[in-house]
Amino acid sequence: MRLLPGSPVLFTLILIFAALHTSASAALNWQVGRGSWKGGLGLRYLQANTTAESDRGTASDSSSQTLSENFYLNGSRLYVLDPRLVTINLGLSLSLNQFDLSSTFANDSVAESGNSNKWLGYKFEADFLKEKPYRARFYANRQQIETQQSFGARSTGVTDNLGLQLVLTDKSVLTDWGFRWFSASLGLAQSKRSSTTSFLDFSSQDESSQRTLNFAASKGFINADLAFNYSLAESETALQRQSNPRSQTATLNYSVDFGPGLNRQFNSGVVYRTTSGGLPNNRLEADAKLHIDHYRNLSSEYTYEFNRLDRDDDGDATGFVSSEHIGTASLSHQLYQNLNSSVSLNVNQGSAPNGSWSSYGGAVAQGYSHGLPGGGRLGLSWSGSYSHVTNALRSGSIDIIGEAHIAPPMAAPGFLLANSFVIRNSIVVFNLRDGLPGKLMTEGQEYRIVEEGDRVRIEPIYGAGAIAGSTTEPILPGDPLEVSYSYQVDADATYQTLDTGYGATVDYGWFGASYQHQQSEFEPLAGEVQFVRDTRTDTTSVWLNFRGVWLGVNTSANARHTHREAIESRGPRQEDTTRLRLQGSSRVRQMDLTGSANFERYRATLQDYDSRNLSANLSWRPMARSYNSYNWRLGLSANASDIYFPRTARQSGTRELRGALDWRTPTGWQNRAFAALKTRSDDTRTSQTAAELGANTSKRYGKIIMNANVSLVQVQSGGTTINSQHFQINVLREFY
């Protein structure tokens, strides 16, 4: 049927009357002996009105109505003959959606459209021999969703999942055959996802499919463990700007305790990874570590690492091959509780198509601590090291593949790459949000590159959908990122360096200060050296700490100032960092209050910024009062973040204010009224403001569940203003 135009209030009354009439009928008992069944019939009505105006004189007005008829049926803990053989969960959901849209534009033209579609969802889960040491699980499900997110954002999508898991526990028949402590599992999964998220004039789509295979096996011994893992992941993304990536990872780990009193621990591992798409490469990593406790206060440790990288530049698995061997030996001694001493030796040898490199050296360090009058602590330290480096390269370029980082908050200065002298045009950034081979990001659209002398900083650019938390945004705060790049070293040179350092710390808990000095003296032995120079770094820190009750508030405060002076390869560098952190919590009557403030002032030779973050939360639930028969609960939260770069006069910031009032009436109605305001400003992007005001209510009448919600949203982006109103009501009749 086609949705008839008319008052949503009249339609709502008819819907409620029909639901109440249905509740009077006899309830069906769907218990069928083996397992249980549950079903439901429901109606959903949604009306939305949206107006948009811009400073360019364009305007539009649209009104939409949606009617959905829904049916679901679930069966749980179903079995045939005996639940120990197989247990099944079933689910089926059907939905008929009818949609009408009417739009009016600035030239008074009118456009009308309508459609109807059917949504099908299902669930099948089967556990075979779940109480046996050899069991299996199979699942298949399909979900079609349409959700309304914060500030008027809307997401629709379809997800299909299919999987099989086989498990062999350590209680299997292999134990009777003398093969004890062995377990294994095999998992196969496939997922297909298609989703669209719209917010303001921003719309993003995500169409992808993923296939994974995971195998794990472990064998235990009396004093040892052996484990093997293999995983295969493939993904296909129609809208991705790169070939479909695929990754394989195989790991083998072995650990054993042996020797007199089991004072020796040996751990080893081998990892092989291969990745296609983006930057195709094969990596082999192996490591071994032996730790020996000679006495209670004397121990030694020996490590070996091997890394091999096969980078596929031209679709050929032998495009670029490099390898590296690293060995270390160290001895640690503790005299009483005050003096710790360590001595270490190291050697490194690597090769690549353009040559080889090698180094060897050693280090010695001591740390001393002692109590001070008044409860303080004195710490003294010194260290020295020597290294001899030989580079025999035709070109001075070292490749880094997959350096891991986390996308910082919106009001943050990005993150620095680990190495100096990075070649700018070699930088590529991938997002690993889905845990599969990463999606390639584009410079200038999703991130910026900022050069700070010898170092490079990556600053993510968050898009319009980030204000509504769209999961289809290219980069969101907290996303796992990988950065691959090349950095420069001296190609054909031999040099030695002598590093020395010392420091002192005085800490009384509430007050402390420290001084650290590090110095590196460089001496060329052969060839031309450009990227190594004498360096010196002096760092001074002073801090204050407070923890206690101040004006009835549980308070903690920390202030720290750090001054750093360094002479580096490109000249002197000076940094001053001041941080202030405040936290407080209190309970006043029936109110719980928490708040925090973080300030940072950074001044350096190459970069300056000021950042702050303020947050506060209030929760109020009146107790032991007659009016609290409604179970009132009020929650308020506020957050403000800013960062300012004085040299470029660039500033960005976010503001967020949320409030919600929840209450339950004596007749069983669950109610909520809420309001939210969020703004984002950036001198390099369009400022945005989103405000939302809404309420929802729900109640259960026996087997009938009713809920309704209404929301008013206003979004401003530059010269565009969008106002929208949403009203929705759902009625569900359950059968069980």
Side-chain angles (χ1 to χ4, degrees), residues 642-653:
D642 291 285
I643 186 165
Y644 175 66
F645 299 91
R647 300 191 182 196
T648 59
R650 176 191 159 207
Q651 182 167 342
S652 65

mmCIF file with all atom_site columns, all heavy atoms in Angstrom, residues 642-653:
data_model
loop_
_atom_site.group_PDB
_atom_site.id
_atom_site.type_symbol
_atom_site.label_atom_id
_atom_site.label_alt_id
_atom_site.label_comp_id
_atom_site.label_asym_id
_atom_site.label_entity_id
_atom_site.label_seq_id
_atom_site.pdbx_PDB_ins_code
_atom_site.Cartn_x
_atom_site.Cartn_y
_atom_site.Cartn_z
_atom_site.occupancy
_atom_site.B_iso_or_equiv
_atom_site.pdbx_formal_charge
_atom_site.auth_seq_id
_atom_site.auth_comp_id
_atom_site.auth_asym_id
_atom_site.auth_atom_id
_atom_site.pdbx_PDB_model_num
ATOM 1  N N   . ASP A 1 642 ? 41.299 22.932 22.447 1.00 0.00 ? 642 ASP A N   1
ATOM 2  C CA  . ASP A 1 642 ? 41.831 23.950 21.536 1.00 0.00 ? 642 ASP A CA  1
ATOM 3  C C   . ASP A 1 642 ? 43.306 23.714 21.314 1.00 0.00 ? 642 ASP A C   1
ATOM 4  O O   . ASP A 1 642 ? 44.022 23.224 22.204 1.00 0.00 ? 642 ASP A O   1
ATOM 5  C CB  . ASP A 1 642 ? 41.649 25.359 22.122 1.00 0.00 ? 642 ASP A CB  1
ATOM 6  C CG  . ASP A 1 642 ? 40.210 25.790 22.169 1.00 0.00 ? 642 ASP A CG  1
ATOM 7  O OD1 . ASP A 1 642 ? 39.660 26.135 21.113 1.00 0.00 ? 642 ASP A OD1 1
ATOM 8  O OD2 . ASP A 1 642 ? 39.631 25.761 23.266 1.00 0.00 ? 642 ASP A OD2 1
ATOM 9  N N   . ILE A 1 643 ? 43.773 24.095 20.140 1.00 0.00 ? 643 ILE A N   1
ATOM 10 C CA  . ILE A 1 643 ? 45.196 24.157 19.873 1.00 0.00 ? 643 ILE A CA  1
ATOM 11 C C   . ILE A 1 643 ? 45.450 25.379 18.998 1.00 0.00 ? 643 ILE A C   1
ATOM 12 O O   . ILE A 1 643 ? 44.681 25.666 18.073 1.00 0.00 ? 643 ILE A O   1
ATOM 13 C CB  . ILE A 1 643 ? 45.718 22.872 19.209 1.00 0.00 ? 643 ILE A CB  1
ATOM 14 C CG1 . ILE A 1 643 ? 47.241 22.934 19.080 1.00 0.00 ? 643 ILE A CG1 1
ATOM 15 C CG2 . ILE A 1 643 ? 45.065 22.627 17.857 1.00 0.00 ? 643 ILE A CG2 1
ATOM 16 C CD1 . ILE A 1 643 ? 47.882 21.610 18.769 1.00 0.00 ? 643 ILE A CD1 1
ATOM 17 N N   . TYR A 1 644 ? 46.518 26.103 19.342 1.00 0.00 ? 644 TYR A N   1
ATOM 18 C CA  . TYR A 1 644 ? 46.839 27.347 18.646 1.00 0.00 ? 644 TYR A CA  1
ATOM 19 C C   . TYR A 1 644 ? 48.319 27.320 18.277 1.00 0.00 ? 644 TYR A C   1
ATOM 20 O O   . TYR A 1 644 ? 49.183 27.002 19.108 1.00 0.00 ? 644 TYR A O   1
ATOM 21 C CB  . TYR A 1 644 ? 46.542 28.548 19.544 1.00 0.00 ? 644 TYR A CB  1
ATOM 22 C CG  . TYR A 1 644 ? 46.952 29.872 18.950 1.00 0.00 ? 644 TYR A CG  1
ATOM 23 C CD1 . TYR A 1 644 ? 46.327 30.379 17.818 1.00 0.00 ? 644 TYR A CD1 1
ATOM 24 C CD2 . TYR A 1 644 ? 47.972 30.618 19.529 1.00 0.00 ? 644 TYR A CD2 1
ATOM 25 C CE1 . TYR A 1 644 ? 46.710 31.595 17.268 1.00 0.00 ? 644 TYR A CE1 1
ATOM 26 C CE2 . TYR A 1 644 ? 48.359 31.843 18.994 1.00 0.00 ? 644 TYR A CE2 1
ATOM 27 C CZ  . TYR A 1 644 ? 47.726 32.324 17.862 1.00 0.00 ? 644 TYR A CZ  1
ATOM 28 O OH  . TYR A 1 644 ? 48.108 33.522 17.316 1.00 0.00 ? 644 TYR A OH  1
ATOM 29 N N   . PHE A 1 645 ? 48.613 27.640 17.010 1.00 0.00 ? 645 PHE A N   1
ATOM 30 C CA  . PHE A 1 645 ? 49.986 27.707 16.516 1.00 0.00 ? 645 PHE A CA  1
ATOM 31 C C   . PHE A 1 645 ? 50.334 29.184 16.304 1.00 0.00 ? 645 PHE A C   1
ATOM 32 O O   . PHE A 1 645 ? 49.889 29.798 15.319 1.00 0.00 ? 645 PHE A O   1
ATOM 33 C CB  . PHE A 1 645 ? 50.115 26.935 15.206 1.00 0.00 ? 645 PHE A CB  1
ATOM 34 C CG  . PHE A 1 645 ? 49.798 25.468 15.329 1.00 0.00 ? 645 PHE A CG  1
ATOM 35 C CD1 . PHE A 1 645 ? 48.506 25.003 15.115 1.00 0.00 ? 645 PHE A CD1 1
ATOM 36 C CD2 . PHE A 1 645 ? 50.787 24.561 15.672 1.00 0.00 ? 645 PHE A CD2 1
ATOM 37 C CE1 . PHE A 1 645 ? 48.210 23.655 15.228 1.00 0.00 ? 645 PHE A CE1 1
ATOM 38 C CE2 . PHE A 1 645 ? 50.500 23.213 15.788 1.00 0.00 ? 645 PHE A CE2 1
ATOM 39 C CZ  . PHE A 1 645 ? 49.213 22.753 15.571 1.00 0.00 ? 645 PHE A CZ  1
ATOM 40 N N   . PRO A 1 646 ? 51.100 29.796 17.205 1.00 0.00 ? 646 PRO A N   1
ATOM 41 C CA  . PRO A 1 646 ? 51.354 31.244 17.120 1.00 0.00 ? 646 PRO A CA  1
ATOM 42 C C   . PRO A 1 646 ? 52.054 31.683 15.841 1.00 0.00 ? 646 PRO A C   1
ATOM 43 O O   . PRO A 1 646 ? 51.778 32.759 15.321 1.00 0.00 ? 646 PRO A O   1
ATOM 44 C CB  . PRO A 1 646 ? 52.243 31.510 18.349 1.00 0.00 ? 646 PRO A CB  1
ATOM 45 C CG  . PRO A 1 646 ? 51.977 30.365 19.274 1.00 0.00 ? 646 PRO A CG  1
ATOM 46 C CD  . PRO A 1 646 ? 51.716 29.200 18.397 1.00 0.00 ? 646 PRO A CD  1
ATOM 47 N N   . ARG A 1 647 ? 52.945 30.873 15.284 1.00 0.00 ? 647 ARG A N   1
ATOM 48 C CA  . ARG A 1 647 ? 53.736 31.319 14.139 1.00 0.00 ? 647 ARG A CA  1
ATOM 49 C C   . ARG A 1 647 ? 52.877 31.495 12.893 1.00 0.00 ? 647 ARG A C   1
ATOM 50 O O   . ARG A 1 647 ? 53.119 32.402 12.104 1.00 0.00 ? 647 ARG A O   1
ATOM 51 C CB  . ARG A 1 647 ? 54.866 30.334 13.862 1.00 0.00 ? 647 ARG A CB  1
ATOM 52 C CG  . ARG A 1 647 ? 55.800 30.188 15.043 1.00 0.00 ? 647 ARG A CG  1
ATOM 53 C CD  . ARG A 1 647 ? 57.047 29.435 14.693 1.00 0.00 ? 647 ARG A CD  1
ATOM 54 N NE  . ARG A 1 647 ? 57.895 29.278 15.876 1.00 0.00 ? 647 ARG A NE  1
ATOM 55 C CZ  . ARG A 1 647 ? 59.159 28.945 15.844 1.00 0.00 ? 647 ARG A CZ  1
ATOM 56 N NH1 . ARG A 1 647 ? 59.761 28.761 14.679 1.00 0.00 ? 647 ARG A NH1 1
ATOM 57 N NH2 . ARG A 1 647 ? 59.857 28.813 16.957 1.00 0.00 ? 647 ARG A NH2 1
ATOM 58 N N   . THR A 1 648 ? 51.905 30.629 12.724 1.00 0.00 ? 648 THR A N   1
ATOM 59 C CA  . THR A 1 648 ? 51.027 30.728 11.554 1.00 0.00 ? 648 THR A CA  1
ATOM 60 C C   . THR A 1 648 ? 49.664 31.305 11.909 1.00 0.00 ? 648 THR A C   1
ATOM 61 O O   . THR A 1 648 ? 48.810 31.440 11.026 1.00 0.00 ? 648 THR A O   1
ATOM 62 C CB  . THR A 1 648 ? 50.839 29.346 10.917 1.00 0.00 ? 648 THR A CB  1
ATOM 63 O OG1 . THR A 1 648 ? 50.262 28.451 11.878 1.00 0.00 ? 648 THR A OG1 1
ATOM 64 C CG2 . THR A 1 648 ? 52.177 28.782 10.447 1.00 0.00 ? 648 THR A CG2 1
ATOM 65 N N   . ALA A 1 649 ? 49.462 31.621 13.206 1.00 0.00 ? 649 ALA A N   1
ATOM 66 C CA  . ALA A 1 649 ? 48.179 32.143 13.687 1.00 0.00 ? 649 ALA A CA  1
ATOM 67 C C   . ALA A 1 649 ? 47.024 31.194 13.362 1.00 0.00 ? 649 ALA A C   1
ATOM 68 O O   . ALA A 1 649 ? 45.879 31.607 13.207 1.00 0.00 ? 649 ALA A O   1
ATOM 69 C CB  . ALA A 1 649 ? 47.892 33.532 13.112 1.00 0.00 ? 649 ALA A CB  1
ATOM 70 N N   . ARG A 1 650 ? 47.333 29.906 13.267 1.00 0.00 ? 650 ARG A N   1
ATOM 71 C CA  . ARG A 1 650 ? 46.296 28.913 12.997 1.00 0.00 ? 650 ARG A CA  1
ATOM 72 C C   . ARG A 1 650 ? 45.727 28.398 14.311 1.00 0.00 ? 650 ARG A C   1
ATOM 73 O O   . ARG A 1 650 ? 46.470 28.117 15.255 1.00 0.00 ? 650 ARG A O   1
ATOM 74 C CB  . ARG A 1 650 ? 46.872 27.755 12.195 1.00 0.00 ? 650 ARG A CB  1
ATOM 75 C CG  . ARG A 1 650 ? 45.875 26.630 11.952 1.00 0.00 ? 650 ARG A CG  1
ATOM 76 C CD  . ARG A 1 650 ? 46.541 25.394 11.389 1.00 0.00 ? 650 ARG A CD  1
ATOM 77 N NE  . ARG A 1 650 ? 45.729 24.223 11.620 1.00 0.00 ? 650 ARG A NE  1
ATOM 78 C CZ  . ARG A 1 650 ? 46.204 22.990 11.736 1.00 0.00 ? 650 ARG A CZ  1
ATOM 79 N NH1 . ARG A 1 650 ? 47.512 22.781 11.661 1.00 0.00 ? 650 ARG A NH1 1
ATOM 80 N NH2 . ARG A 1 650 ? 45.401 21.971 11.945 1.00 0.00 ? 650 ARG A NH2 1
ATOM 81 N N   . GLN A 1 651 ? 44.413 28.259 14.344 1.00 0.00 ? 651 GLN A N   1
ATOM 82 C CA  . GLN A 1 651 ? 43.752 27.775 15.556 1.00 0.00 ? 651 GLN A CA  1
ATOM 83 C C   . GLN A 1 651 ? 42.642 26.804 15.169 1.00 0.00 ? 651 GLN A C   1
ATOM 84 O O   . GLN A 1 651 ? 41.934 26.995 14.177 1.00 0.00 ? 651 GLN A O   1
ATOM 85 C CB  . GLN A 1 651 ? 43.157 28.930 16.362 1.00 0.00 ? 651 GLN A CB  1
ATOM 86 C CG  . GLN A 1 651 ? 42.486 28.482 17.661 1.00 0.00 ? 651 GLN A CG  1
ATOM 87 C CD  . GLN A 1 651 ? 42.188 29.643 18.579 1.00 0.00 ? 651 GLN A CD  1
ATOM 88 O OE1 . GLN A 1 651 ? 42.751 30.724 18.420 1.00 0.00 ? 651 GLN A OE1 1
ATOM 89 N NE2 . GLN A 1 651 ? 41.321 29.429 19.547 1.00 0.00 ? 651 GLN A NE2 1
ATOM 90 N N   . SER A 1 652 ? 42.504 25.750 15.950 1.00 0.00 ? 652 SER A N   1
ATOM 91 C CA  . SER A 1 652 ? 41.410 24.810 15.772 1.00 0.00 ? 652 SER A CA  1
ATOM 92 C C   . SER A 1 652 ? 40.917 24.377 17.143 1.00 0.00 ? 652 SER A C   1
ATOM 93 O O   . SER A 1 652 ? 41.665 24.409 18.129 1.00 0.00 ? 652 SER A O   1
ATOM 94 C CB  . SER A 1 652 ? 41.857 23.586 14.961 1.00 0.00 ? 652 SER A CB  1
ATOM 95 O OG  . SER A 1 652 ? 42.838 22.845 15.663 1.00 0.00 ? 652 SER A OG  1
ATOM 96 N N   . GLY A 1 653 ? 39.664 23.995 17.193 1.00 0.00 ? 653 GLY A N   1
ATOM 97 C CA  . GLY A 1 653 ? 39.108 23.598 18.479 1.00 0.00 ? 653 GLY A CA  1
ATOM 98 C C   . GLY A 1 653 ? 37.765 22.920 18.325 1.00 0.00 ? 653 GLY A C   1
ATOM 99 O O   . GLY A 1 653 ? 37.109 23.002 17.281 1.00 0.00 ? 653 GLY A O   1
#
